[in-house]
Amino acid sequence: QVQLVESGGGLVQAGGSLRLSCAASGLTFSRYTMGWFRQAPGKEREFVAAITWSGGSTYYADSVKGRFTISRDNAKKTVYLQMNSLKPEDTAVYYCAADLYSGSYYDPTTYDYWGQGTQVTVSS
């Protein structure tokens, strides 16, 4: 059974930082592109960041460039999202996802597996 489990969310003041983790099991982790998405109330799920299987390429939404960093540790089967300079507009449920074949890293419909999400709330 494939599982992706996010952790690290919480309540933080604007300008603060959080690091999200996503631990994977039941899949050959190193073969997957890993992505982070988020969904705020009343909005569609949106792309945040992605990292290729080798870790050689990373991709970010314009809204988080320069503030968020995605990384992965294939030995630990874990992907991370370091979030700095957080803004209230970053408030959302954050999901990690795994994609084996698609090159459309920004498109949530191409991902094969999803975690349950972790809440990030940024207060002003």
Side-chain angles (χ1 to χ4, degrees), residues 16-100:
S17 298
L18 286 172
R19 189 179 76 158
L20 306 183
S21 299
C22 175
S25 63
L27 77 166
T28 306
F29 181 79
S30 62
R31 296 183 181 179
Y32 286 78
T33 292
M34 300 297 297
W36 284 98
F37 294 78
R38 66 188 182 187
Q39 188 166 21
K43 294 186 177 181
E44 295 184 5
R45 190 167 299 186
E46 67 174 347
F47 169 74
V48 176
I51 185 167
T52 57
W53 68 268
S54 67
S57 297
T58 57
Y59 308 92
Y60 297 95
D62 288 342
S63 60
V64 306
K65 285 181 180 177
R67 300 189 297 120
F68 291 10
T69 302
I70 188 171
S71 61
R72 68 190 295 163
D73 186 334
N74 287 346
K76 295 182 178 180
K77 301 181 72 173
T78 301
V79 62
Y80 305 95
L81 185 68
Q82 178 66 47
M83 305 186 295
N84 298 327
S85 302
L86 283 162
K87 305 174 181 179
E89 64 200 75
D90 296 318
T91 296
V93 177
Y94 283 71
Y95 300 89
C96 69
D99 174 28
L100 181 60

